[in-house]
Amino acid sequence: MDIILAITVGGLYAAGIYMMLRRSVVKLLIGLGLLSHAANLLIFTAGGVIRGRVPVVPAGEMQPLETIADPLPQALILTAIVISFAVLAFALVLIYRTCQTLGTDDLDQLKATDT
Amino acid sequence: MFLWLWVILIAAGLAPGVSRMVGSRGGWLLALVPAGVAVCLLQQWPAVVNQQNVSAAVDWVPSLHLMVSLRLDGLSLLFGLLVTGIGALVLVYAGAYLKGDERLGRLWMFLLLFMAAMLGVVLADNLLTLFIFWELTSITSYLLIGFNSDRPESRASALQALLVTGGGGLLLLPGLLLLGFAGQSFEISELLNHADQIQQHAFYGPMLVLILLGAFTKSAQFPFHFWLPDAMAAPTPISAYLHSATMVKAGVYLVARLHPVLGGTAEWFWMIAPIGTATMVLGAVLALRATDLKQILAYATISVLGTLMMLLGIGTEATLTAALVLLVAHALYKGGLFMMAGAVDHAVHQRDIRLLGGLRSVMPATCGAALLAGISMAGILPTFGFIAKETWYEAVGSQASVPYLVASVLSNIGLVAAAGMVCITPFFGRQTDAAQQAHEGGPALWGPPVVLGIAGFCLGLLPGPFSELLAAGSTAIAGQDVSVKLKLWHGVNAALLLSLLTLAGGFLLYWQRHRLAGVITATDRFMPWGPAGAYRWLLKSVNQLARGQTAILQNGYLRYYLLMMVGLTVFSVWMALGGELSSHLDPMPFDFRIHEVMLAGLILMSAVVAVRAKTWLLSVGALGIAGYAVAGIFVLFGAPDLAMTQFVIETLTVFLFVMAFSRLPDFRRLSSVHTRRRDALIAVVAGGTITMLLLFAMTVRSDHPISAYYAAHSVPEAHGRNVVNVILVDFRALDTLGEITVLSIAAIGVYSLLMLRPAARPGSTDSSGNEADDSSRGSAQRGN
């Protein structure tokens, strides 16, 4: 399954990078979204995947009885999901205001610092 | 001794307050500080002339054997008296010069800061302490030259002075380090005992060149002399203090200070004496070309600085003493002349000597000050300037070095004529239109130059008591006992005859100066080819290089930055791992289930749809589906927490994006087919690299020591069964706090972007129209 996930991650990265290279500033947002999915899945896969095996200690036990899914990447991804949402929301509003104030969605026309 | 420096620094801190509360008369108050330090220095006089040097030191970085050490000997005392004595006069003078100007407090502060730095230079015994104070004088000089910061030429001059002297400082530092390593000590008093060892050291040549370059740039020696005339953009109190009496002499001081360690060799002579001589003659010639009072004085200063270097370079006992005498004489008369020029400028608002004349009747006191200083500058009996010139001629003449003697006499003839141009032309002759409106300034404007002028006369008439200090100073320069007996009248000898010749030549030159005009205009066209032109060319080239490089690297196109980053990352990954990747990839178990493959396929398909979609809504939908599918993967591989979060967040994201849909411009295809193909290729290569990298990472994966620790300690220590949650809120709680902070910052950003409007710019009439346009467009889109 590793190899399938690896290809999926690569595909998501390719799609995200392609969208971020576009001149239309709204496409950049979609690119950001795709890229954050890709990054999350990358961390998840790189940590090694195991089917089932939720990282929870059964009731009455002090330690997990069998091999469990790696909890550390999961904790990282949990943080990453929330932060990427914050970044996406901020970028969305920033781009909305940029388009509104400057009247263009073409990144090539947003080069100068003066309006 | 540290106390002296601290007192001046504290006074610098108080200066702006004094200026606010007392006004321009606060100069008298502030002048008490350096005057007090001068009195303290005078108290050390008996000890110093008896060769009992005073020293003080504190540990700075003991582990590196770094000390801040100060030492007071004859040379330091002499310089210290000049710095504090003239400094006190300049503070009073500056108060009158900038009377009523709100920047007066700032000027006083900078002057006092400079004073502390300069005093530090002349008191320092440790080479690195000396260097730090040295650089501080460069920095304060920069601030002072650029004092009129609203004038571009002022800023350019300040930058030029900083680049030249700072560049010299940059060379000086390795020179001092080499010296310290060769002599195995950074204390100058220690190095004195190792002079032979240092001069035989392999580093002797390089260290001498580096140190001398530092000294030459600071003391405006040819070919670095050009920054000094430009530094006259500073207000006159600054020119009088830094650029004639003290800072420009720092280079001379350094050469004098290191003479017993490095001097006495053929290299020393040949590197310093010719440069000094060239500077001396060049300065005198350029002084005659100038017409601005301050420019004439600046070039004359360059000439004297050259003389000092020449005398130090020749390096006999007599020339070393002569250098010290000339240095004091010059500080007294040149400081006074600059203040006089400032007083004229203040009264007439004109410094061009062609437009000045007949000021004697309206500004008698200033005229008196000018004459007192001018007589000393021309070296006429009975001033200290006369003694200086006699000693100089005698010292150079006794060496039988005819070229140096001829050059000395020639440059002095030029200086006599320059003294006439500065002290006679503006005050005598027909009264010009500009001069008619002039009026005498207050005593604070003409008093300080008169004091300096009278000091020059007193030292000339009674040089006796001063001789013992000069002897102590010369002893410090020569490194052996020197006795000095200064006398005003030596009887009729060769030096006196040369003096008479100089005066006669100078008066002739001054009288017939109108004949020089033709020569001056004829040489005008060579001026751009001087060192100043080279400096400008160098500065322009550096700026052009920077601009060109910025235009390529920082071109303002976001996607090229991205391309660069992605490309470089892909390239370096393949460079680093290219060979290893293939060897690791064979043993891959193909174990998968059909629903997993379908989920992965769904992700890839929605990514493709998101990319190829023609509308925002479709793309957002595809992005959402990809997110849900990722959540599905999380479910299958033992991460229900992730899946839940992902579902919630994905829903929120889609919700937000759809809400924004009506307000954002829809997709447009802006790039050409060619660009799209290029980008697609790059994206696919980058994605492929990530896939390879990920597969590689999985084959080299090691044990999970950290995860195992968390799993084992989750229940016993944190009392939680969900290991992921325990990591987030317990083991790595600080990370979560950071995450919450990021969220709040983003929320504040979103809120302010949505709610706050930029204030309408004052004076722009159409800003309200724009605002109306915006809102109407917004409502129209919402209507859609």
Side-chain angles (χ1 to χ4, degrees):
Chain A
M1 191 57 206
D2 286 347
I3 193 157
I4 304 253
L5 281 178
I7 292 168
T8 312
V9 170
L12 276 174
Y13 263 105
I17 289 171
Y18 179 80
M19 286 303 262
M20 291 188 76
L21 287 174
R22 306 275 46 84
R23 256 168 72 181
S24 164
V25 75
V26 276
K27 287 188 180 174
L28 193 118
L29 271 176
I30 304 287
L32 261 180
L34 287 169
L35 210 63
S36 49
H37 288 330
N40 291 343
L41 211 51
L42 173 80
I43 303 173
F44 192 66
T45 316
V49 287
I50 299 179
R51 291 195 183 86
R53 309 285 178 83
V54 178
V56 169
V57 183
E61 300 293 335
M62 291 304 277
Q63 289 189 0
L65 298 174
E66 45 178 9
T67 321
I68 53 166
D70 196 341
L72 192 59
Q74 294 195 17
L76 290 177
I77 296 166
L78 211 57
T79 311
I81 293 173
V82 177
I83 289 193
S84 62
F85 170 70
V87 170
L88 216 53
F90 182 74
L92 178 74
V93 178
L94 187 66
I95 285 170
Y96 159 63
R97 279 306 299 251
T98 310
C99 295
Q100 196 191 31
T101 312
L102 303 177
T104 179
D105 60 333
D106 185 354
L107 275 174
D108 282 13
Q109 291 178 21
L110 300 178
K111 274 175 62 187
T113 44
D114 293 329
T115 56
Chain B
M1 292 168 85
F2 286 103
L3 186 68
W4 303 339
L5 296 176
W6 280 119
V7 166
I8 295 175
L9 283 178
I10 291 168
L14 296 178
V18 170
S19 142
R20 265 197 303 278
M21 290 164 64
V22 191
S24 65
R25 287 179 191 281
W28 297 94
L29 202 63
L30 287 171
L32 289 177
V33 174
V37 174
V39 170
C40 293
L41 283 165
L42 282 175
Q43 282 176 343
Q44 307 293 332
W45 181 309
V48 168
V49 297
N50 291 323
Q51 309 290 336
Q52 293 162 338
N53 297 325
V54 191
S55 54
V58 287
D59 276 334
W60 181 14
V61 187
S63 53
L64 295 174
H65 307 291
L66 218 52
M67 310 257 286
V68 179
S69 56
L70 306 179
R71 198 167 67 104
L72 187 72
D73 61 3
L75 187 61
S76 307
L77 180 58
L78 200 64
F79 266 93
L81 285 174
L82 286 180
V83 169
T84 50
I86 297 181
L89 293 176
V90 164
L91 286 176
V92 173
Y93 179 81
Y97 189 83
L98 276 192
K99 191 171 184 173
D101 193 317
E102 60 187 13
R103 300 170 302 167
L104 179 58
R106 188 148 58 104
L107 179 63
W108 276 334
M109 182 172 75
F110 288 162
L111 281 173
L112 282 161
L113 282 177
F114 165 78
M115 193 185 296
M118 189 66 204
L119 198 59
V121 168
V122 299
L123 289 178
D125 189 36
N126 185 296
L127 289 177
L128 298 174
T129 312
L130 187 145
F131 177 76
I132 287 166
F133 284 121
W134 176 284
E135 290 295 281
L136 284 176
T137 61
S138 290
I139 293 166
T140 42
S141 161
Y142 170 75
L143 294 173
L144 284 166
I145 297 172
F147 188 74
N148 292 321
S149 50
D150 48 345
R151 299 217 321 252
E153 65 267 36
S154 218
R155 295 198 299 269
S157 301
L159 185 65
Q160 173 175 302
L162 183 72
L163 287 177
V164 174
T165 57
L170 220 52
L171 299 172
L172 176 66
L173 181 61
L176 293 179
L177 292 178
L178 287 179
L179 174 59
F181 288 127
Q184 287 159 3
S185 169
F186 282 97
E187 305 298 314
I188 297 172
S189 45
E190 272 298 304
L191 292 170
L192 294 176
N193 305 325
H194 298 98
D196 288 339
Q197 184 193 335
I198 291 168
Q199 295 189 1
Q200 256 129 54
H201 201 279
F203 290 159
Y204 177 67
M207 83 171 77
L208 191 60
V209 171
L210 290 170
I211 291 175
L212 287 181
L213 281 173
F216 287 170
T217 48
K218 194 81 163 180
S219 281
Q221 299 293 303
F222 176 81
F224 309 112
H225 61 276
F226 57 88
W227 72 262
L228 187 55
D230 287 347
M232 295 300 136
T236 309
I238 297 161
S239 312
Y241 192 37
L242 271 72
H243 304 121
S244 71
T246 54
M247 188 188 87
V248 289
K249 300 221 170 72
V252 175
Y253 170 82
L254 184 71
V255 171
R257 174 57 78 202
L258 294 179
H259 174 261
V261 181
L262 300 171
T265 60
E267 290 96 324
W268 176 272
F269 177 83
W270 285 109
M271 276 189 226
I272 301 177
I275 297 273
T277 313
T279 311
M280 170 176 78
V281 176
L282 185 76
V285 171
L286 291 177
L288 295 177
R289 290 176 53 95
T291 55
D292 180 300
L293 271 181
K294 286 178 77 177
Q295 295 286 325
I296 301 174
L297 292 173
Y299 283 116
T301 305
I302 291 176
S303 175
V304 173
L305 291 170
T307 312
L308 294 172
M309 281 293 178
M310 177 192 79
L311 291 170
L312 291 172
I314 295 174
T316 62
E317 272 184 28
T319 56
L320 296 178
T321 310
L324 216 48
V325 176
L326 178 62
L327 189 146
V328 175
H330 175 255
L332 293 180
Y333 75 70
K334 196 54 72 59
L337 284 177
F338 266 112
M339 292 189 206
M340 177 280 290
V344 170
D345 191 14
H346 196 262
V348 193
H349 302 293
Q350 181 58 260
R351 294 202 308 252
D352 194 322
I353 57 167
R354 289 169 301 187
L355 302 173
L356 291 172
L359 280 174
R360 176 174 47 105
S361 51
V362 279
M363 302 179 73
T366 311
C367 175
L371 288 180
L372 283 174
I375 291 172
S376 197
M377 177 171 173
I380 302 173
L381 270 168
T383 57
F384 201 56
F386 172 75
I387 300 184
K389 196 167 52 173
E390 295 285 290
T391 332
W392 162 11
Y393 282 167
E394 250 176 45
V396 177
S398 64
Q399 283 301 294
S401 43
V402 179
Y404 293 104
L405 192 60
V406 172
S408 302
V409 173
L410 286 179
S411 79
N412 251 329
I413 289 176
L415 288 190
V416 171
M421 286 158 65
V422 171
C423 304
I424 299 177
T425 309
F427 294 99
F428 296 90
R430 197 178 54 80
Q431 198 165 35
T432 59
D433 300 339
Q436 274 159 9
Q437 284 104 42
H439 56 93
E440 186 75 275
L445 272 180
W446 54 259
V450 167
V451 169
L452 286 176
I454 292 175
F457 268 79
C458 292
L459 284 182
L461 290 168
L462 292 168
F466 195 56
S467 297
E468 56 183 20
L469 180 59
L470 285 172
S474 305
T475 303
I477 303 179
Q480 56 199 11
D481 279 338
V482 178
S483 65
V484 177
K485 284 278 166 281
L486 288 184
K487 278 188 299 185
L488 186 60
W489 185 248
H490 286 253
V492 179
N493 56 11
L496 184 71
L497 292 176
L498 280 177
S499 268
L500 288 175
L501 178 69
T502 308
L503 276 179
F507 280 126
L508 188 69
L509 194 60
Y510 174 66
W511 182 39
Q512 297 293 328
R513 65 187 182 283
H514 55 274
R515 285 171 197 262
L516 287 176
V519 185
I520 289 172
T521 41
T523 52
D524 262 348
R525 60 203 168 92
F526 295 111
M527 295 312 280
W529 299 96
Y535 164 82
R536 274 191 289 277
W537 177 83
L538 198 65
L539 200 63
K540 211 174 85 191
S541 314
V542 169
N543 279 337
Q544 263 169 359
L545 185 72
R547 260 198 300 277
Q549 178 216 298
T550 311
I552 294 170
L553 291 179
Q554 302 283 327
N555 50 24
Y557 291 101
L558 179 68
R559 60 179 183 283
Y560 289 127
Y561 298 166
L562 263 175
L563 267 182
M564 194 87 84
M565 283 189 254
V566 170
L568 263 178
T569 313
V570 169
F571 178 74
S572 45
V573 163
W574 283 102
M575 284 304 282
L577 300 173
E580 291 183 52
L581 280 178
S582 50
S583 62
H584 276 82
L585 291 184
D586 330 312
M588 267 290 157
F590 274 85
D591 118 66
F592 44 78
R593 300 176 189 165
I594 192 70
H595 57 280
E596 294 167 359
V597 180
M598 283 168 69
L599 260 181
L602 185 60
I603 293 175
L604 284 177
M605 268 166 55
S606 21
V608 171
V609 172
V611 168
R612 295 194 58 88
K614 296 250 181 341
T615 65
W616 168 252
L617 215 50
L618 179 58
S619 195
V620 167
L623 181 68
I625 290 172
Y628 286 133
V630 169
I633 299 270
F634 290 152
V635 170
L636 291 179
F637 292 93
D641 296 307
L642 291 194
M644 282 190 288
T645 317
Q646 179 79 12
F647 277 126
V648 173
I649 293 287
E650 205 52 45
T651 313
L652 265 178
T653 311
V654 172
F655 199 60
L656 197 68
F657 274 30
V658 171
M659 275 205 326
F661 160 69
S662 61
R663 297 164 192 227
L664 284 177
D666 208 352
F667 279 11
R668 282 201 292 157
R669 191 161 272 177
L670 294 164
S671 324
S672 63
V673 182
H674 171 75
T675 318
R676 288 205 301 275
R677 280 189 188 147
R678 182 200 63 191
D679 291 348
L681 182 69
I682 289 169
V684 167
V685 170
T689 308
I690 300 273
T691 301
M692 300 303 271
L693 201 61
L694 186 52
L695 290 174
F696 179 68
M698 287 187 287
T699 59
V700 296
R701 189 188 298 145
S702 62
D703 202 5
H704 311 139
I706 311 175
S707 303
Y709 170 87
Y710 288 140
H713 291 78
S714 181
V715 175
E717 288 191 4
H719 306 288
R721 301 202 170 271
N722 183 332
V723 185
V724 176
N725 284 2
V726 167
I727 292 176
L728 282 174
V729 301
D730 198 308
F731 292 121
R732 309 290 310 170
L734 220 54
D735 292 1
T736 309
L737 187 69
E739 176 194 347
I740 294 169
T741 315
V742 170
L743 268 184
S744 348
I745 292 172
I748 293 170
V750 167
Y751 177 82
S752 49
L753 277 171
L754 283 179
M755 296 302 160
L756 303 180
R757 302 253 155 194
R761 279 178 219 157
S764 107
T765 46
D766 59 351
S767 64
S768 53
N770 275 346
E771 210 68 79
D773 274 352
D774 281 346
S775 47
S776 67
R777 192 169 57 206
S779 56
Q781 278 174 348
R782 243 170 272 132
N784 288 341

